[in-house]
């Protein structure tokens, strides 16, 4: 995801699951585009916001990548090569996103797994593309990224046109909302998600009574909330980031406003709970399933806690799967050349990721993206509702 201004079928090859066996130890083909930094290393780049307001999300992504690399290395590496994670701070900005991409190329990464803010990914994608280095995004959800990625860009997360539809179905369905307000922050991710939700709300018979942006980084959003309240919405869907979401929760309660407050998947970072305190209770967000709600992620959660000393964040599991997919593609093709890895990624079918089976379509998006709703109960995000396989009925996300 990202600001443009200052986020069950079995595979025939079980080698890269959490408890998977070691990879073959045969030597790899030549480095080709991107290189691998040395004959005994497989370098995977991780661009993420390691500074700024979204740093907690970036550090979470980086820690997850390192957990995946450690597991691969304990199993013998990838055809005898040690997996090395190369980090780069994109600070959730376009300028630093471009600089981070160039830094990773200079470090001779063979592929890239990461990203958070779509705005930082926008300039990075053509930089990687010119060198034929494939990029698997774990959290950058703006549809344009894969639409224009020329088949070299992939996602383990979903797309905002899918998330916007799920949000609209939930607001006009279980919430019974007829009047919907949309608030974003003018970033690539937030504006795109708001627009997608607005279109879906209208198609489902709802009325969009407000759609505008706030200024990120402020300390008081009371005037914005008061303006939203004047339109008499049943629900406000905030599509920006967690730093602002926490303040909106807190200040909404202080103002005594009664409309339901919802948010997108960039608002589920644990930091939001610290900012909002008790005002977070009852908050609802659309998101891909969280690590603690994924049965296949239990071993990862244990390993992550041991490494980071904290619970994994919302996009950790999607980063973990991205690193494992790159390793599998390299093992399958026996090459570290970018075009070979890209071709191998497209050929993977039903990879047994801890986020579910993963197959990429022609653009590089998952063929089975899943969004659910979570809500805050007793100071924690908990699975709430999800659509059943028909896409028409809402069921309990925890038990079904």
């Amino acid at each position: 995801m990202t600001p443009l201004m200052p986020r069950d079928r079995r595979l025939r090859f079980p080698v890269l699951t959490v408890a998977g066996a070691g990879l073959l130890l045969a030597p790899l083909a030549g480095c080709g585009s991107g290189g691998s930094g040395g004959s005994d290393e497989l370098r995977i780049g991780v661009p993420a916001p390691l500074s700024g307001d979204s740093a907690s999300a970036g550090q979470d992504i980086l820690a997850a990548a390192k957990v995946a690399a450690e597991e691969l290395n304990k199993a013998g590496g990838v055809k005898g090569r040690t997996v090395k994670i190369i980090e780069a701070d994109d600070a959730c900005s376009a300028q630093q996103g471009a600089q981070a991409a160039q830094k990773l190329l200079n470090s001779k990464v063979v592929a890239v797994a990461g990203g958070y803010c779509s705005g930082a990914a926008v300039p990075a994608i053509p930089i990687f593309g010119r060198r034929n280095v494939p990029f698997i995004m774990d959290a950058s959800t703006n549809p344009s990224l894969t639409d224009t990625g020329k088949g070299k860009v992939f996602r383990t997360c979903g797309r905002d046109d899918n998330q916007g539809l799920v949000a609209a179905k939930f607001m006009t369905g279980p919430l019974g909302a007829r009047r919907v307000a949309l608030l974003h922050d003018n970033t690539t991710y937030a504006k795109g998600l708001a627009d997608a939700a607005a279109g879906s709300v209208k198609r489902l018979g709802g009325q969009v009574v407000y759609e505008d942006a706030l200024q990120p980084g402020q300390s008081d959003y009371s005037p914005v909330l008061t303006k939203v309240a004047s339109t008499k919405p049943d629900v406000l869907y905030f599509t920006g980031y967690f730093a602002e979401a926490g303040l909106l929760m807190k200040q909404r309660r202080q103002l005594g406003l009664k409309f339901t407050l919802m948010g997108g998947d960039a608002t589920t970072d644990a930091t939001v709970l610290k900012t909002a305190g008790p005002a977070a209770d009852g908050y609802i967000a659309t998101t891909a399933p969280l690590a603690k709600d994924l049965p296949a992620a239990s071993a990862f959660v244990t390993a992550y806690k041991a490494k980071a000393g904290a619970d994994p964040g919302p996009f950790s599991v999607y980063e973990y799967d991205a690193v494992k997919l790159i390793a599998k593609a390299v093992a399958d093709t026996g090459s570290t050349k970018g075009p070979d890895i890209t071709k191998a990624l497209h050929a993977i079918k039903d990879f047994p990721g801890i986020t579910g089976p993963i197959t990429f379509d022609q653009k590089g998006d998952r063929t089975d993206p899943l969004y659910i709703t979570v809500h805050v109960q007793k100071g924690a995000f908990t699975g709430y509702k999800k659509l059943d396989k028909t896409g028409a009925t809402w069921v309990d996300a925890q038990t079904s």
Side-chain angles (χ1 to χ4, degrees), residues 135-345:
F135 182 11
I136 304 182
M137 301 177 295
D138 62 347
S140 299
T141 52
N142 187 273
S144 68
L145 302 177
T146 45
D147 287 349
T148 61
K150 299 181 180 179
K152 303 172 188 176
V153 180
F154 303 82
R155 267 192 266 247
T156 52
C157 56
R159 291 167 52 113
D160 289 327
D161 43 2
N162 294 328
Q163 182 177 189
L165 175 59
V166 170
K169 285 184 174 181
F170 185 81
M171 290 186 286
T172 59
L175 287 186
R178 291 296 172 262
R179 298 173 62 84
V180 175
L182 296 160
L183 183 63
H184 58 87
D185 62 11
N186 263 332
T187 61
T188 301
Y189 156 71
K191 180 67 163 60
L193 178 54
D195 289 347
S200 293
V201 165
K202 294 172 185 175
R203 287 192 295 273
L204 292 169
Q207 181 182 2
V208 176
V209 297
Y210 181 93
E211 184 175 2
D212 205 349
L214 54 68
Q215 178 64 45
Q218 304 299 302
S219 60
D220 184 10
Y221 292 109
S222 298
V224 174
L225 287 166
T226 300
K227 187 175 181 181
V228 170
S230 71
T231 67
K232 296 180 170 53
D234 299 312
V235 58
L236 168 61
Y237 185 49
F238 175 61
T239 62
Y241 291 85
F242 59 84
E244 288 72 38
L247 291 174
L248 289 171
M249 294 176 204
K250 192 173 185 178
Q251 291 163 9
R252 168 182 162 274
R253 172 173 285 193
Q254 291 169 346
L255 291 168
L257 302 177
K258 301 303 182 183
F259 55 74
T260 300
L261 180 59
M262 278 184 61
D265 55 354
T267 68
T268 56
D269 189 277
T271 305
V272 80
L273 304 175
K274 298 175 184 177
T275 302
D281 285 349
Y283 178 73
I284 301 169
T286 50
T287 184
L290 306 178
K292 66 178 183 177
D293 297 327
L294 292 164
S298 58
F300 165 78
V301 171
T302 299
Y304 183 99
K305 285 183 176 180
K307 182 170 188 63
D311 291 326
F315 295 102
S316 58
V317 280
Y318 301 91
E319 173 66 11
Y320 175 94
D321 276 353
V323 172
K324 290 294 186 82
L325 279 159
I326 289 171
K328 172 164 175 52
V330 171
D332 284 352
T333 189
S335 169
T336 57
K337 293 181 179 180
D340 294 338
I341 298 172
T342 297
K343 183 177 180 180
L345 286 169

